[in-house]
């Protein structure tokens, strides 16, 4: 007689699910949001990432979210180049250390 193995079946992802995970990282979803969309717990996600990438969530997320950040930055610069003053001001403040404060010289 075979021994009964209890519990839920082990979750395994297909290539389609890995692409979805990477797309969620790309648009900066949080770990909680990724787990909810993918239908897994944080423990299961951690196991899957260790098995697939050999790394933790934070290590994988840092790499997979970088493309999304670069795309967003590219879009912002394109908007500023097209004459959007608000975006140009935002980028100046965030990347060039500019501010609205007037310096008073004495």
């Amino acid at each position: 007689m075979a021994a009964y193995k209890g519990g839920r079946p082990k979750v395994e992802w297909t290539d389609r699910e890995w692409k979805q995970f990477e797309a969620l990282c790309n648009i900066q979803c949080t770990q909680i949001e990724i787990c909810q969309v993918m239908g897994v717990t944080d423990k299961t996600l951690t196991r899957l990432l260790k098995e697939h990438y050999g790394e933790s969530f934070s290590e994988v997320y840092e790499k997979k979210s970088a493309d999304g950040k670069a795309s967003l930055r590219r879009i912002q610069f394109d908007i500023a180049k097209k004459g959007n003053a608000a975006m140009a001001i935002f980028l100046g403040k965030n990347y060039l250390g500019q501010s609205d404060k007037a310096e008073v010289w004495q």
Side-chain angles (χ1 to χ4, degrees), residues 1-104:
M1 183 152 124
Y4 173 73
K5 237 181 159 179
R8 296 177 185 227
K10 187 175 178 180
V11 174
E12 299 294 341
W13 283 354
T14 64
D15 287 343
R16 180 175 175 248
E17 290 160 320
W18 284 111
K19 286 178 185 172
Q20 183 178 9
F21 164 76
E22 291 178 5
L24 293 169
C25 291
N26 195 275
I27 62 169
Q28 317 299 305
C29 287
T30 65
Q31 184 176 12
I32 293 169
E33 292 166 338
I34 291 170
C35 287
Q36 290 173 340
V37 170
M38 301 302 293
V40 296
T41 65
D42 59 328
K43 284 184 177 183
T44 299
L45 180 61
T46 298
R47 176 187 60 80
L48 288 166
L49 295 174
K50 280 286 185 194
E51 290 175 1
H52 191 75
Y53 296 106
E55 297 178 318
S56 68
F57 175 80
S58 59
E59 292 168 318
V60 174
Y61 186 82
E62 184 177 341
K63 293 172 187 172
K64 299 298 179 184
S65 65
D67 285 343
K69 289 178 184 178
S71 292
L72 182 56
R73 187 169 288 117
R74 187 178 312 108
I75 291 166
Q76 287 178 309
F77 276 96
D78 286 345
I79 290 169
K81 285 181 194 176
K82 290 178 183 173
N84 185 310
M87 183 58 71
I89 292 167
F90 171 82
L91 293 173
K93 288 178 180 179
N94 285 277
Y95 293 109
L96 303 176
Q98 298 170 343
S99 70
D100 291 329
K101 297 177 190 171
E103 291 187 30
V104 178

